[in-house]
Amino acid sequence: MDKHYCEFPPNFKWGCATASYQVEGAHDADGRKPSIWDDFTRQPGRIHADMCGDVSVDQYHKYKEDVQLMKWLGLKAYRFSISWSRVIPDGRGAVNEKGLDYYDRLVDELLANGIEPWPTLFHWDLPLALQKLYGGWQSKEVADDFAKYAEVVTKRLSDRVTNYFTVNELFCFTDLGYAGSQPNESVFPPGICLPRKELNKVRHNALLGHGKAVQAIRANAVQPVRVGMAENCLGCVPAIETKENIDAARKAMREVNATFLTAILEGAYTEHHLETEGADAPEFTDEEMAIIGSPLDFVGVNQYAPTYIVADPGQTLGYRQLPHPSTYPKLDMPWLFFGPQILYWTPKFLWENWNVNEIYVTENGAACEDKMNLEGEINDTDRVLYLREHLIHANRAVKEGIPLKGYFLWSLLDNFEWAWGYSKRFGIFYVNYRTLERTPKLSAKFYREVISKNAVG
């Protein structure tokens, strides 16, 4: 191979990722009941142009076609999420066999085509019944219901599925759902704004649900399985690679992620986090923290944009976070700042801070203003640039012996982009939302070449 190519190890896991509410559609098919996202999208003004995921890209019915797209790419793995509302429509109680049947079919189709299934149990679509019953993540009851759901799924799939993610991006379904909005983005469901003390209860309950799900998966698997989670931790990057800035960024990685990632990996809240929250700090028992800190087999990180850090002895913790100037380059989302170094520094600091010895990039990708030309092509050179540069930095990590074992591109398909509806496209396959036809973009052809060569140049 050309010496200019960045080669990956032979067993490096190349994948793509999606989420159930974003791609499945079939919102009321075969016994599925509403999730909080079904309800939220029906509230006028919540979603761009009042769009919803009722049909989306209909992977529920088109999964065989989509698996063939994955096979064409050469994927080794597919990360998808399971709809809790499809499996246990009321969130607790009766199990919907037809819902489980769908995931049976999807798993079997993936395996028949040489693609490993990597399911995520929760990607934000809480059954609406639980929100109405006890306020969703506001109640500790949700942690037990989530563990029971994890048990049901594990008993059904673990004869064939050995890798599981518990939850996806804790911040998004806690803070964005229960504490108001981010700049330029709508509030996520349930769309309420709690006082800080109550928000910290929500966060703690979500952590507890993760820990109880870890234990439930292990306890109910019919063969040895591996468990992790996918977290959109802030990826701290030294603004300049000096020893002082690197040390500061390593420390910052632990502290800026204290609410979720650090709590899980250490089974404890940091002293600084508890001091900062003061009277609003989460209340917990030693038993709960032990559950939250249940050992993981791997850690997945969703990485899109950098958090630049410089050493600053004048600050309490010895570092300072730099804001992005107005002219800083970004892709087609307000927060999607271009900083491919995250795929080196985030795995590095996971390894160095917490001795995580199996790391996956579980999401990385770009929203772009994709347009199909008269020849039916989508030449998304911006996305190709984004992917290429990030993979080069991922390769740096691998070559330095950092245990980065795989990469899941977000996303396989254009789909329902939450509060943005269908106005933002992250897929490497273009979807005509009227006909649901899938067309590979230039980025799909690029990714196929990367996988084929097991290298990026």
Side-chain angles (χ1 to χ4, degrees), residues 327-403:
T327 53
Y328 192 98
K330 63 184 176 183
L331 283 297
D332 192 28
M333 288 292 261
W335 48 263
L336 192 44
F337 298 101
F338 183 68
Q341 301 90 348
I342 50 175
L343 291 204
Y344 169 73
W345 291 106
T346 298
K348 180 179 175 67
F349 292 149
L350 274 171
W351 188 38
E352 293 178 349
N353 279 339
W354 298 288
N355 196 31
V356 177
N357 58 20
E358 188 170 340
I359 302 164
Y360 294 88
V361 173
T362 36
E363 289 184 23
N364 175 248
C368 301
E369 293 185 359
D370 300 318
K371 304 293 183 184
M372 181 178 287
N373 65 21
L374 294 176
E375 289 72 39
E377 302 168 332
I378 305 95
N379 291 314
D380 54 338
T381 52
D382 43 1
R383 185 177 288 108
V384 171
L385 166 71
Y386 181 96
L387 297 174
R388 177 187 285 118
E389 295 304 314
H390 280 78
L391 289 173
I392 287 171
H393 285 273
N395 186 261
R396 177 186 176 190
V398 168
K399 285 187 173 176
E400 290 188 14
I402 296 165

Side-chain angles (χ1 to χ4, degrees), residues 284-305:
F284 55 87
T285 66
D286 290 345
E287 180 187 7
E288 286 175 348
M289 295 314 298
I291 292 169
I292 289 167
S294 297
L296 301 176
D297 298 292
F298 53 84
V299 173
V301 286
N302 299 352
Q303 293 291 283
Y304 290 95

Side-chain angles (χ1 to χ4, degrees), residues 56-57 62 65 431-439:
S56 187
V57 298
K62 298 173 76 68
E65 176 183 338
V431 178
N432 179 319
Y433 291 125
R434 183 177 57 83
T435 66
L436 300 183
E437 181 182 3
R438 282 87 156 122
T439 303

Side-chain angles (χ1 to χ4, degrees), residues 20-303:
S20 53
Y21 187 75
Q22 290 183 272
V23 299
E24 283 182 359
H27 71 108
D28 59 357
D30 298 328
R32 182 186 180 277
K33 288 186 178 179
S35 73
I36 56 174
W37 272 96
D38 293 279
D39 178 65
F40 196 67
T41 59
R42 280 158 174 73
Q43 299 173 25
R46 291 291 200 179
I47 307 298
H48 174 80
D50 290 338
M51 295 168 171
C52 71
D54 286 4
V55 176
S56 187
V57 298
D58 199 25
Q59 189 168 87
Y60 188 80
H61 296 108
K62 298 173 76 68
Y63 70 93
K64 288 188 177 182
E65 176 183 338
D66 289 343
V67 170
Q68 289 308 304
L69 300 181
M70 300 176 211
K71 187 175 182 180
W72 175 84
L73 285 169
L75 295 191
K76 306 296 187 290
Y78 178 46
R79 177 177 171 244
F80 59 95
S81 77
I82 293 173
S83 168
W84 189 347
S85 296
R86 207 177 286 287
V87 173
I88 305 177
D90 292 315
R92 53 168 48 177
V95 174
N96 178 27
E97 289 298 322
K98 288 185 177 180
L100 282 171
D101 287 346
Y102 167 67
Y103 296 107
D104 272 337
R105 295 193 300 272
L106 175 59
V107 164
D108 289 345
E109 189 71 14
L110 289 165
L111 292 172
N113 285 277
I115 301 165
E116 287 184 4
W118 287 61
T120 302
L121 293 182
F122 184 73
H123 199 129
W124 312 352
D125 45 353
L126 184 79
L128 180 61
L130 298 185
Q131 187 66 40
K132 292 181 175 180
L133 181 65
Y134 49 57
W137 295 101
Q138 291 176 260
S139 170
K140 277 188 183 174
E141 288 187 62
V142 73
D144 291 323
D145 284 336
F146 185 50
K148 182 63 180 178
Y149 158 61
E151 174 186 336
V152 169
V153 172
T154 304
K155 284 181 175 178
R156 184 62 167 259
L157 299 182
S158 60
D159 61 328
R160 290 152 291 156
V161 177
T162 56
N163 298 291
Y164 296 84
F165 298 98
T166 54
V167 297
N168 181 82
E169 299 186 352
L170 288 135
F171 173 83
C172 290
F173 70 86
T174 58
D175 290 50
L176 294 188
Y178 294 85
S181 64
Q182 294 292 291
N184 302 315
E185 293 195 51
S186 298
V187 181
F188 283 10
I192 58 180
C193 192
L194 298 175
R196 190 75 177 181
K197 182 74 172 180
E198 295 303 310
L199 173 62
N200 277 321
K201 287 182 181 178
V202 167
R203 292 166 163 178
H204 184 73
N205 293 340
L207 289 171
L208 192 59
H210 153 78
K212 289 192 173 187
V214 171
Q215 296 184 353
I217 293 167
R218 296 201 196 286
N220 291 283
V222 300
Q223 63 173 319
V225 295
R226 292 152 19 89
V227 188
M229 51 89 179
E231 177 61 0
N232 61 332
C233 58
L234 292 180
C236 294
V237 175
I240 303 172
E241 290 190 26
T242 63
K243 182 182 185 304
E244 293 78 13
N245 286 340
I246 292 170
D247 290 344
R250 184 185 298 107
K251 183 175 185 179
M253 180 77 179
R254 179 173 180 265
E255 291 294 347
V256 301
N257 295 299
T259 308
F260 300 118
L261 180 70
T262 306
I264 289 171
L265 295 180
E266 298 183 11
Y269 294 111
T270 68
E271 289 183 13
H272 178 72
H273 175 66
L274 294 176
E275 289 172 2
T276 301
E277 295 296 331
D280 295 328
E283 297 175 357
F284 55 87
T285 66
D286 290 345
E287 180 187 7
E288 286 175 348
M289 295 314 298
I291 292 169
I292 289 167
S294 297
L296 301 176
D297 298 292
F298 53 84
V299 173
V301 286
N302 299 352
Q303 293 291 283

